[in-house]
Amino acid sequence: MPRPSIQSRRLLSRFFGMLVLIAPSIAFAQAPETASNGVIHAKQNIFVPMSAAAEEVLGVSWLVTGICTAIFVIVAGLLTYAIIKFRSKPGEERQEPPQIYGSFQIELAWTIIPIMIVFGLALVTARTIGTVQARQIPADAIKVKVIGRQWWWEVHYLSADGKTTEMITANELHVPVNRVTHLYLQSADVVHAFWVPALAGKTDLIPNHTNEMWIEPNTLGTFLGNCAEYCGTQHANMLLRVIVEDQAGYDNWLAAQKAPPVEDKAVATGKDTFFRTSCVNCHAVDGTIAKGVFGPDLTHMMTRQTIAAGVAPLNRETLREWLRDPQEMKHGSLMPNMQLTETELDDITDYLLSLK
Ligand code: CUA
């Protein structure tokens, strides 16, 4: 038997390497970790839907998986049968088998059957999209505008009529359980896609156009999502969290987010440094002269779980590290290295830590 070539051995080792990578993520999906504010559903998993829309999507996914598995078993089975049955036997004279050109019946079969399968799947998919989109959005739905940016999410909580922004945050949506949140999706630069697999399918965020979708989570906890449309260097680090709370928890959170930041005299030096540097050209802090709109609103930044759109958990160390050189933590980020001195770094970190 000929030894497998170097290429095929490389391919095999890559395949098994991928299996090794995939296996732990499947295992983790079974065991959600817990955090202070409830369960973090740590893996983005379409197979554990936590909302009506995600259940619809899962139905289609199982159908497609089932049909594809059947096709694979039939094709691979026939192939295996042919390989074993018609392999050359010892002592047999080696000769070219009969060459057959064209068979009307077979060609018709392998054209029509795939067309019917694809058409059937397209119909089922269209029906699912229709069901999800036809949902009547209740008048009391929470209205949230989400703007995709390279590479983070700007989140506006809108007034009941949807016309004005009442509060701005970033990378994390808080929503009440068992209520509809109506999302208005926009983009400030390139095409992104909003995807929280446990809650709904993907929807693109397109420049100069508003797409709409809704989520209605039925379980408490933190759900992870990410941008699902390649949008540049840090596409993979454009992560997103939906924190589902009970109504009281949500109301408290919203009230706290709308309140002005607490004034802490102990961080006056840091505040002074922050407002002296060009931080304020890009970032906003409510009730101050900082009105920048290019970067995330920092008014209550310390209530968020992560920094740099999910790159690291938010704490003193990661915040200082980020301020020292954002390019090291997230290469390509639009925030430049501000060349701050060690003292300035400490002071600004202290000030930002007070923004709760
Ligand atoms: Cu934003 Cu990919």
Side-chain angles (χ1 to χ4, degrees), residues 192 227 229-231 235 238:
H192 305 272
C227 180
E229 181 73 47
Y230 182 72
C231 55
H235 157 71
M238 190 168 161

Side-chain angles (χ1 to χ4, degrees), residues 34-295:
T34 50
S36 54
N37 60 341
V39 175
I40 294 188
H41 302 276
K43 284 288 177 278
Q44 299 168 36
N45 189 349
I46 66 159
F47 295 103
V48 189
M50 305 273 183
S51 84
E55 273 162 27
E56 293 282 344
V57 174
L58 181 59
V60 183
S61 306
W62 278 127
L63 181 73
V64 174
T65 309
I67 290 176
C68 291
T69 307
I71 294 172
F72 174 79
V73 168
I74 292 169
V75 172
L78 287 173
L79 185 64
T80 312
Y81 172 78
I83 289 172
I84 295 169
K85 168 97 178 155
F86 300 109
R87 71 186 307 219
S88 63
K89 296 179 184 66
E92 208 176 51
E93 205 186 325
R94 285 199 165 208
Q95 55 180 6
E96 199 178 34
Q99 302 296 299
I100 302 160
Y101 294 99
S103 160
F104 185 68
Q105 284 90 338
I106 292 177
E107 284 166 14
L108 204 63
W110 76 42
T111 305
I112 291 191
I113 295 172
I115 287 178
M116 279 166 51
I117 293 172
V118 171
F119 190 63
L121 289 179
L123 285 182
V124 177
T125 307
R127 194 185 64 182
T128 306
I129 293 172
T131 313
V132 172
Q133 288 189 340
R135 167 70 195 264
Q136 275 291 324
I137 293 178
D140 71 340
I142 318 287
K143 295 185 173 67
V144 180
K145 178 165 80 179
V146 179
I147 304 168
R149 287 173 171 273
Q150 287 172 316
W151 290 276
W152 56 283
W153 306 85
E154 186 175 322
V155 181
H156 292 232
Y157 278 72
L158 305 177
S159 57
D161 63 5
K163 291 204 174 102
T164 47
T165 295
E166 295 193 328
M167 183 273 287
I168 304 177
T169 180
N171 304 324
E172 292 177 12
L173 279 86
H174 285 242
V175 299
V177 70
N178 293 325
R179 273 186 70 187
V180 174
T181 299
H182 191 174
L183 300 173
Y184 302 85
L185 306 175
Q186 299 176 349
S187 168
D189 35 53
V190 299
V191 178
H192 305 272
F194 184 98
W195 192 34
V196 183
L199 301 183
K202 302 170 186 174
T203 307
D204 278 0
L205 294 84
I206 296 165
N208 302 314
H209 175 83
T210 302
N211 270 340
E212 294 180 31
M213 69 181 285
W214 56 274
I215 51 173
E216 189 181 15
N218 57 25
T219 310
L220 298 173
T222 298
F223 296 90
L224 306 194
N226 67 311
C227 180
E229 181 73 47
Y230 182 72
C231 55
T233 318
Q234 290 291 347
H235 157 71
N237 279 327
M238 190 168 161
L239 305 167
L240 160 79
R241 288 175 175 228
V242 176
I243 295 122
V244 182
E245 296 176 287
D246 57 19
Q247 186 67 45
Y250 168 73
D251 290 340
N252 288 340
W253 174 81
L254 191 65
Q257 294 289 315
K258 284 180 181 172
V262 188
E263 190 74 23
D264 184 353
K265 289 279 180 289
V267 296
T269 319
K271 186 175 179 185
D272 189 54
T273 314
F274 179 84
F275 285 95
R276 260 194 299 110
T277 60
S278 34
C279 308
V280 294
N281 295 339
C282 291
H283 295 283
V285 179
D286 262 7
T288 71
I289 53 154
K291 303 249 183 279
V293 293
F294 300 111

